[in-house]
Amino acid sequence: MPRTDVMKQKGLTLVDAINEALEQEMIRDERVVLLGEDVGANGGVFRVTEGLQKIFGKDRVIDTPLAESGIMGSAIGLAMAGMRPIPEIQFEGFLGPAFDQLTNHAARYRSRTRGAITIPMTVRVPVGGGIHAPELHSDSPEAIYAHTPGLKVVMPCTPVDAKGLLTAAIRDPDPVVFFEPKRVYRSFREEVPEEEYTIPIGQAKVVSEGTDLTVVTWGASVFECLAAIDKLPEDVSIELIDLRTIYPIDLDTIVQSVQKTGRCVIVHEAPKTSGFGAEISSLIQENCFLHLKAPVQRVAGFDTVMPYYKLELDYLPDSKRIAESVTQTLAY
Amino acid sequence: MTSVANSPVNMSLTPTKTTAAQPSKRTGPRASDSLPPSTLVRWLRDMFLIREFENRTAQAYQQAKIGGFCHLYTGQEATAVGTIAALNPDDPIVTAYRDHGHALARGMDPGACMAEMFGKATGCAKGKGGSMHMFDKPNWLFGGHGIVGAQTPLGTGLAFAAKYEVEVMKRGVDGGPAKKKVSLAYLGDGALNQGALHEAMNLAGLYGIPVIYIVENNGYSMGTSIDRGTTMSEDLRKKADAYGIRGEIIDGLDVIDLYDAFKPVVDWCRENQKPAFVDLKTYRYLGHSMSDPQKYRTKEEVDQYKAKDSIDRLAAHLMEDRKGADGKPVLTEQQFMDIQTEVKATVKAALDFAEASPIPDESELYTDVFVNPQPNLSPTCEYTHGAKNPLL
């Protein structure tokens, strides 16, 4: 999709940036194919692949039947044969039917074949709440996939990061689950370099530097955390870390920060129990125990099914809850 | 882009087209002959109710009173009304996410249905399910379901339970007498390609489970036409053949024809305790969901189907062709107008009810995850604006 005047003036959205990364990688590497439900003629359920079938044709931007297990399984087959497939699963809840293929096949072939067969596949999945959708269309299952050895799990929240990380994912030799926070799809624009570039998978980003407390988060929650920081008194110095890659986790960035600040609040949309925040909290106590000035806190979704939209904003961690947790942790 | 134009990859992923099989013409007595005119008039009323309900749903959605995703049934009214008319009231049904029509045809209160979409506490699932998750257990509606095809094994299990009651327990699980039942598992044509359906059909064929898989075949799996999405689209009965299941093709646009063809299938499944598969040809007038650019079809195609509208056809039939004992049509124009007035008032009342109903209390976030109360749930649950989990 060519850059429009709007894009030139105001920058790209997450959708534009992902679309551009896909286009550039498809030009660069003929092994890259897209497949999914309505990704071609209709441009995908969130119009992320808009225009790509016109450019690359129906053999490379493939409209599939509605069959997630089949989509995922055949993408794995393509990857086994040396292609670079990018299946799109319309919503994170629809990973359910494809779960067997993704976790029992894609994640394990390198290990099962001792490296003889690998799966260079990038699974694109819109993720998370905040768009007034019901459950299955608003969930945050990243911990489930991070708990599956053999999968890399990425969740960028800015257009610049999305373009660079998606490019890196496509070029990665192993399967990557690329979660796209749908709440951010069109709600934020920024200038994105037009040329192709990569951002390494497994590298967190320090969004703002600080000395009093570390906030670790990812996905759409990054924006809630920024809003929460705005609510705090000006003399409070917060270091905000956007994880960007869930797995492999960038332990160094977190440990360096928490050893400096001594306090940490972790924020994520997924239910609290066994959420990825639990893993981070555990890693912090293993690596920063003597530096801690307060218990590590988690602000998360609740251990319930994602509610329908009238209660959605009560479920999702908002800036108020985050600010309260930060204040309590600072006062500990 | 030259590399693309000269690409050696040219697999032509376009499926081949063949002539489609048509519904068979019936001869002999028709199931609907014995129905009183009042039943046909009620079908007309129910179909019009669904049409009007969906029109007002679309408006409410556009006014952002309904959140989430919303899949309207407009155009397909005859399929829910005609198939459910062939059932006993306690035959279970499951369907997919385009479920408002089934809920209303099954007798769900329109207010509860609308309130559910508004996310209000008075909805059929207390405002926690939304448009895709209409449940009405007293009316034996076991849900709209959001994952394509995933409801079909559930419909199979419901029928399995009924068969188990009859053949093994020889009584109902509720202690009452066992009854021969049939369950309906509705699916869209997109679900034909989901593994779950094929696993369910194999089980049903293998065990002889009295479930009827009804493909509400509106020709499009979201934006993908059926011939681009599934094999043997010209005769889907072949898919049923593969599992030893009786297959039928039925015209779903004329509710009386539909009933005449479908009722014998239901009776046969009930009597013989066997499954069936029905390719029910229908059409949706609106997009897949409220956010569908509909680039995959032409306005002319939609208009062709609107010209065969099921409500218009039934109304014309009752006002012109169908004569009562007195030789006069069973429905006058005035009566039809009265029906429309009543339905519009009913739907308006449903909207008002939904509008006036309360939002679920935020404590509802914690209810019904497990059996209530659940003292160990989320031990640290100070949440939203400082409120405490009331169950702790």
Side-chain angles (χ1 to χ4, degrees):
Chain A
M1 198 193 303
R3 291 193 171 208
T4 64
D5 291 343
V6 177
M7 290 166 167
K8 279 169 191 152
Q9 283 164 16
K10 297 183 177 166
L12 303 194
T13 61
L14 198 69
V15 166
D16 302 329
I18 293 168
N19 185 285
E20 189 165 276
L22 291 171
E23 181 180 340
Q24 290 175 348
E25 285 307 287
M26 291 186 79
I27 291 169
R28 183 176 169 274
D29 186 346
E30 208 174 32
R31 296 172 303 171
V32 176
V33 294
L34 312 187
L35 61 168
E37 295 153 13
D38 284 336
V39 296
N42 248 20
V45 67
F46 286 102
R47 315 287 169 248
V48 175
T49 52
E50 184 91 59
L52 295 177
Q53 193 180 61
K54 278 221 175 83
I55 302 172
F56 298 103
K58 291 180 179 178
D59 296 337
R60 294 190 66 198
V61 181
I62 303 162
D63 278 322
T64 66
L66 218 160
E68 287 82 10
S69 178
I71 295 167
M72 191 71 80
S74 42
I76 293 168
L78 283 165
M80 290 169 91
M83 299 279 286
R84 298 262 161 175
I86 309 181
E88 173 183 292
I89 301 296
Q90 294 186 325
F91 290 88
E92 73 291 320
F94 305 178
L95 281 169
F99 187 80
D100 174 51
Q101 293 292 345
L102 184 57
T103 61
N104 292 347
H105 287 162
R108 295 172 188 233
Y109 275 131
R110 180 181 289 278
S111 166
R112 193 174 285 162
T113 65
R114 300 295 178 262
I117 293 173
T118 57
I119 312 294
M121 168 178 80
T122 303
V123 185
R124 288 186 40 250
V125 195
V127 76
I131 62 159
H132 282 188
E135 48 153 327
L136 302 173
H137 302 70
S138 296
D139 303 346
S140 295
E142 66 271 15
I144 296 170
Y145 300 97
H147 192 60
T148 302
L151 294 182
K152 295 179 181 177
V153 182
V154 175
M155 197 191 298
C157 77
T158 67
V160 170
D161 287 349
K163 184 175 171 186
L165 276 163
L166 180 56
T167 305
I170 295 168
R171 297 179 191 180
D172 197 277
D174 286 306
V176 179
V177 182
F178 190 85
F179 283 120
E180 302 166 4
K182 48 184 103 85
R183 194 178 192 177
V184 189
Y185 262 153
R186 291 182 169 81
S187 66
F188 175 73
R189 286 178 183 271
E190 66 178 352
E191 258 184 58
V192 177
E194 196 157 357
E195 67 281 3
E196 57 188 68
Y197 62 94
T198 60
I199 292 173
I201 292 173
Q203 208 173 76
K205 178 170 74 176
V206 178
V207 179
S208 64
E209 290 192 13
T211 52
D212 297 338
L213 182 145
T214 304
V215 173
V216 180
T217 190
W218 54 92
S221 294
V222 171
F223 293 94
E224 284 299 322
C225 290
L226 285 168
I229 291 168
D230 280 345
K231 286 191 161 82
L232 297 168
E234 271 188 19
D235 59 341
V236 175
S237 169
I238 304 292
E239 182 139 307
L240 177 62
I241 296 176
D242 173 3
L243 211 51
R244 301 196 293 194
T245 298
I246 313 300
Y247 193 87
I249 187 170
D250 181 357
L251 186 59
D252 289 349
T253 298
I254 296 171
V255 168
Q256 277 166 21
S257 176
V258 178
Q259 286 187 349
K260 174 174 68 178
T261 61
R263 294 182 168 90
C264 184
V265 172
I266 303 156
V267 181
H268 60 65
E269 289 186 16
K272 189 171 194 174
T273 300
S274 291
F276 201 69
E279 180 63 33
I280 296 172
S281 176
S282 192
L283 286 168
I284 289 172
Q285 71 85 14
E286 284 169 20
N287 291 280
C288 313
F289 188 65
L290 293 177
H291 295 82
L292 284 177
K293 298 171 191 159
V296 176
Q297 296 296 310
R298 288 173 287 159
V299 183
F302 305 109
D303 293 354
T304 68
V305 178
M306 178 79 197
Y308 193 43
Y309 79 116
K310 288 289 184 193
L311 294 175
E312 175 180 55
L313 296 180
D314 293 333
Y315 178 94
L316 296 171
D318 59 7
S319 58
K320 183 164 182 290
R321 273 170 66 198
I322 298 164
E324 277 169 11
S325 180
V326 167
T327 306
Q328 281 167 15
T329 306
L330 285 167
Y332 182 83
Chain B
M1 236 37 55
T2 50
S3 68
V4 175
N6 301 327
S7 165
V9 187
N10 184 14
M11 299 189 289
S12 178
L13 297 177
T14 312
T16 48
K17 295 207 176 187
T18 43
T19 317
Q22 298 299 319
S24 53
K25 292 270 178 266
R26 282 171 314 284
T27 52
R30 295 159 63 103
S32 62
D33 289 344
S34 60
L35 294 174
S38 61
T39 301
L40 303 183
V41 172
R42 203 188 63 239
W43 291 355
L44 179 65
R45 186 259 177 198
D46 288 353
M47 284 160 59
F48 189 74
L49 170 68
I50 296 170
R51 176 75 52 92
E52 176 67 10
F53 187 91
E54 296 293 56
N55 287 345
R56 301 300 294 251
T57 298
Q59 285 172 3
Y61 189 90
Q62 276 148 6
Q63 293 162 2
K65 289 180 177 166
I66 293 173
F69 301 103
C70 196
H71 311 83
L72 300 181
Y73 203 61
T74 311
Q76 300 184 205
E77 295 86 353
T79 65
V81 170
T83 50
I84 287 170
L87 295 184
N88 293 335
D90 58 355
D91 285 330
I93 73 172
V94 293
T95 185
Y97 45 78
R98 196 178 305 284
D99 59 352
H100 315 158
H102 306 87
L104 296 172
R106 213 59 221 276
M108 181 185 284
D109 172 55
C113 191
M114 189 65 82
E116 186 57 38
M117 288 192 276
F118 275 56
K120 298 297 185 75
T122 52
C124 66
K126 290 200 222 168
K128 292 170 87 172
S131 162
M132 297 193 240
H133 302 117
M134 295 295 166
F135 283 81
D136 188 358
K137 200 173 169 199
N139 283 319
W140 293 82
L141 168 63
F142 288 83
H145 297 268
I147 298 290
V148 173
Q151 75 280 11
T152 53
L154 275 56
T156 310
L158 286 160
F160 197 150
K163 186 182 172 83
Y164 189 84
E165 288 176 328
V166 171
E167 296 182 6
V168 180
M169 292 171 67
K170 315 225 184 278
R171 62 178 171 82
V173 285
D174 58 0
K179 250 178 104 174
K180 281 188 170 178
K181 290 185 180 177
V182 176
S183 86
L184 300 191
Y186 294 91
L187 54 138
D189 43 295
L192 287 167
N193 312 309
Q194 284 280 14
L197 172 68
H198 294 269
E199 296 175 32
M201 288 208 293
N202 186 54
L203 285 175
L206 195 61
Y207 300 151
I209 297 173
V211 51
I212 304 178
Y213 303 101
I214 301 180
V215 183
E216 290 191 70
N217 183 353
N218 63 27
Y220 293 97
S221 160
M222 296 190 66
T224 302
S225 61
I226 185 162
D227 54 321
R228 289 171 60 216
T230 201
T231 55
M232 301 180 291
S233 63
E234 73 288 353
D235 189 353
L236 296 175
R237 291 174 300 188
K238 291 179 186 168
K239 292 189 194 274
D241 265 356
Y243 302 105
I245 294 178
R246 172 179 174 175
E248 298 285 344
I249 301 175
I250 296 178
D251 171 14
L253 294 176
D254 184 303
V255 70
I256 296 178
D257 283 353
L258 189 169
Y259 179 85
D260 286 337
F262 187 65
K263 183 70 165 64
V265 178
V266 173
D267 293 346
W268 180 87
C269 290
R270 191 187 307 283
E271 189 48 39
N272 297 290
Q273 294 285 287
K274 291 272 188 260
F277 172 96
V278 177
D279 175 7
L280 197 49
K281 308 274 193 198
T282 183
Y283 198 78
R284 68 167 148 76
Y285 293 170
L286 305 172
H288 159 74
S289 69
M290 296 298 290
S291 52
D292 178 354
Q294 299 191 58
K295 292 178 191 167
Y296 49 82
R297 64 181 182 185
T298 61
K299 189 175 171 299
E300 289 70 34
E301 180 186 300
V302 180
D303 288 342
Q304 270 176 22
Y305 278 94
K306 285 186 175 170
K308 295 188 278 189
D309 184 75
S310 60
I311 296 178
D312 291 348
R313 272 158 82 162
L314 181 58
H317 175 74
L318 297 178
M319 290 193 289
E320 290 158 24
D321 308 337
R322 191 92 169 188
K323 305 282 199 310
D326 56 2
K328 289 181 181 164
V330 298
L331 185 73
T332 65
E333 208 169 322
Q334 182 58 45
Q335 284 168 328
F336 186 34
M337 282 164 63
D338 291 345
I339 289 172
Q340 295 183 41
T341 308
E342 176 268 319
V343 164
K344 284 182 176 169
T346 301
V347 176
K348 175 73 169 50
L351 270 172
D352 292 345
F353 173 75
E355 187 88 66
S357 292
I359 290 171
D361 188 82
E362 53 188 25
S363 65
E364 284 287 347
L365 270 175
Y366 286 91
T367 59
D368 298 317
V369 179
F370 301 107
V371 65
N372 299 326
Q374 38 200 321
N376 292 325
L377 187 68
S378 268
T380 51
C381 37
E382 223 178 272
Y383 65 100
T384 63
H385 327 305
K388 281 271 189 197
N389 179 352
L391 295 171
L392 288 182

